Amino acid sequence: MDNITHSVIGLGVGELVHRSLPPEPQAPAQRTRRALFLFTAWFASNAPDLDLVLTKLLPRPFGYMLHHRGHTHTLLLALPQALLLLALLWLLWPGARRLLKESVPARIGVAACLLLGFCLHMGMDFLNSYGLHPFYPFNSRWLYGDMVFIVEPMFWVLLGVPVIMSLRYGIVKSVLLAALAAALCFFTYKTYLAPASLAVLLGLGVILAVLQGRAGERGRGPLLLAFALAATFIGTQGVASALGRTRIEAAVQRLDPGTRVWDVAMTAFPSNPLCWIYVSLDSKTDVYTLRRGTLSLLPESLAPAACPAGLVETGKPGQQLAPGIAVSAQATGSLAALRALQEDNCYADAWFRFARMPRLNADKLTDVRFNPGMLPNFTTVELQQFRSRPCPAYVPGWDRPRADMLAPPAAEEAPVMGQE
């Protein structure tokens, strides 16, 4: 997720934990505790993204693909990250050190902020189609939620508004709320948000602002409501994503019975459970097919082309897999060619430790999840420029997302979908 989302979730956790624990006996200690909880939860909710410094270990684009959302996004390394943050707080913040020595609620609260901050960062990153592998090294498999767009204004409103309303100074509240409303209107103007989504977001923002304004310094009801609504939104998106994936798989099977659908990657439109971008991957013989397009879950009342124009995948008019499933781009390739490349080229093998939707076009590899029309993107590798180089060091041991496709035919054990 974007770091605005990580930040407002962390600040919401810090504020909620602070309000849920017994107050400190002295006002200065209470103020220090609140600041400590807010900073700790905010930092923990963003800290895993410090792995961006590791992207220099490999040449572009391998460094970003293989080291971002890498080791710092694992449960095993969350503990040393939390201990390091706690040590820095202890050494560099004398007021927090005194408070932690004297107050049991402060110690409990800091532990809760650290735990929730790191876990929620990984949990939120799981929600989109980029993926992560939180159980490494015990399980190196990539996990994809395919539920939520990577920049989701719903979380900005649900968690950001109560956090803003918890601030002390009215002018700061007004400026931040106005900036949030202006950002939502701008995204709608640029056709990334539907007008109906804007209306829902603004309405929720007004309700939460009023409730939090009435809650007082210790009231936590609006924050609890905000987290409950966020969980409900995630659940709704999950159901919609699963429904859309099922429809796409069925449409591919109807198009060519006996086809094996290897995967369907789903990308949500912001704050809109009805509109989705999909990429499907299937094969029946050695030839595999990639399709990318837009899905509407209510095609009778909302055609795919009527989804917000800033993100909708435009293709040939009328080209579709089924009602509500428009196709914007399609490509084919050879499974044998991919397998040979992975075996013979160590840079290609490193690339396959990230790629979920691989396209081989001449001497160029691209994961087509990330750009309309299957155009080159940050994953694109021109293999020619690496042919004379030694094999790369510091390649992490993530499982290959397409290990199922790359396995020799005799090693494939999974049955073809639709066959006994």
Side-chain angles (χ1 to χ4, degrees):
M1 298 299 296
D2 65 281
N3 288 98
I4 294 177
T5 295
H6 287 311
S7 294
V8 297
I9 288 176
L11 292 171
V13 165
E15 190 69 46
L16 181 59
V17 171
H18 174 67
R19 292 175 181 233
S20 300
L21 291 170
E24 302 298 326
Q26 303 296 327
Q30 181 75 346
R31 289 193 294 269
T32 298
R33 191 182 84 177
R34 180 171 183 261
L36 174 63
F37 287 3
L38 289 174
F39 177 81
T40 301
W42 168 80
F43 194 93
S45 192
N46 283 278
D49 282 341
L50 293 174
D51 61 7
L52 289 171
V53 302
L54 300 177
T55 60
K56 302 295 184 181
L57 293 174
L58 288 167
R60 291 183 179 181
F62 298 97
Y64 187 87
M65 289 191 299
L66 295 175
H67 284 294
H68 180 48
R69 296 209 188 178
H71 294 91
T72 59
H73 287 69
T74 63
L75 292 172
L76 182 65
L77 287 186
L79 179 59
Q81 290 179 84
L83 293 176
L84 177 60
L85 174 56
L86 186 59
L88 291 174
L89 291 171
W90 186 270
L91 293 172
L92 302 178
W93 193 342
R97 182 168 62 245
R98 288 192 298 270
L99 179 65
L100 291 171
K101 287 180 179 179
E102 299 169 358
S103 171
V104 173
R107 294 195 289 271
I108 294 173
V110 164
C113 289
L114 287 170
L115 175 65
L116 291 171
F118 281 104
C119 289
L120 284 173
H121 182 106
M122 286 181 274
M124 297 305 293
D125 278 356
F126 161 74
L127 296 178
N128 50 59
S129 62
Y130 191 102
L132 77 166
H133 23 69
F135 305 114
Y136 179 83
F138 310 106
N139 187 328
S140 303
R141 177 187 174 194
W142 285 86
L143 301 178
Y144 309 98
D146 288 4
M147 301 179 195
V148 175
F149 192 65
I150 197 167
V151 178
E152 180 46 75
M154 182 65 73
F155 299 124
W156 299 1
V157 171
L158 292 180
L159 282 306
V161 169
V163 167
I164 292 170
M165 291 301 297
S166 299
L167 299 175
R168 292 185 179 182
Y169 303 106
I171 185 65
V172 177
K173 295 180 187 180
S174 299
V175 169
L176 291 176
L177 289 174
L180 176 57
L184 298 177
C185 292
F186 176 76
F187 292 148
T188 306
Y189 170 74
K190 298 296 287 186
T191 67
Y192 294 117
L193 273 176
S197 298
L198 174 65
V200 170
L201 291 170
L202 292 177
L204 287 171
V206 170
I207 293 171
L208 289 169
V210 171
L211 292 176
Q212 190 63 49
R214 294 177 177 176
E217 292 187 1
R218 299 294 301 165
R220 57 179 184 166
L223 281 166
L224 290 170
L225 174 62
F227 278 105
L229 290 173
T232 301
F233 172 71
I234 292 169
T236 300
Q237 293 289 113
V239 171
S241 176
L243 178 60
R245 181 182 296 107
T246 299
R247 290 186 183 180
I248 292 165
E249 291 177 349
V252 171
Q253 288 288 333
R254 285 195 299 270
L255 186 67
D256 190 3
T259 294
R260 175 170 183 169
V261 181
W262 297 95
D263 198 2
V264 179
M266 302 289 291
T267 299
F269 278 58
S271 307
N272 189 339
L274 298 180
C275 291
W276 296 80
I277 297 167
Y278 72 90
V279 180
S280 66
L281 174 62
D282 65 82
S283 68
K284 190 173 183 179
T285 58
D286 177 64
V287 177
Y288 71 91
T289 302
L290 288 157
R291 295 181 179 88
R292 183 180 171 109
T294 304
L295 162 75
S296 169
L297 289 179
L298 288 179
E300 298 83 2
S301 55
L302 179 70
C307 290
L311 292 172
V312 71
E313 300 274 337
T314 57
K316 296 179 180 179
Q319 187 175 10
Q320 57 181 12
L321 280 176
I325 308 175
V327 179
S328 64
Q330 182 170 317
T332 59
S334 165
L335 292 176
L338 289 183
R339 291 164 182 156
L341 186 63
Q342 186 260 328
E343 291 178 359
D344 298 338
N345 188 308
C346 56
Y347 279 91
D349 181 57
W351 187 83
F352 278 115
R353 293 187 183 275
F354 175 83
R356 181 181 178 189
M357 294 291 176
R359 181 187 183 189
L360 175 61
N361 185 14
D363 198 44
K364 187 181 297 183
L365 285 167
T366 299
D367 188 327
V368 300
R369 279 178 289 172
F370 302 109
N371 245 14
M374 300 188 185
L375 295 173
N377 54 60
F378 73 92
T379 70
T380 300
V381 172
E382 295 184 10
L383 295 173
Q384 182 62 38
Q385 62 180 306
F386 296 105
R387 291 202 186 281
S388 60
R389 297 193 191 185
C391 290
Y394 307 113
V395 175
W398 319 137
D399 284 352
R400 299 168 185 83
R402 290 278 65 88
D404 47 6
M405 282 176 53
L406 295 171
E412 293 174 7
E413 297 180 357
V416 174
M417 292 185 61
Q419 295 184 358
E420 296 297 332

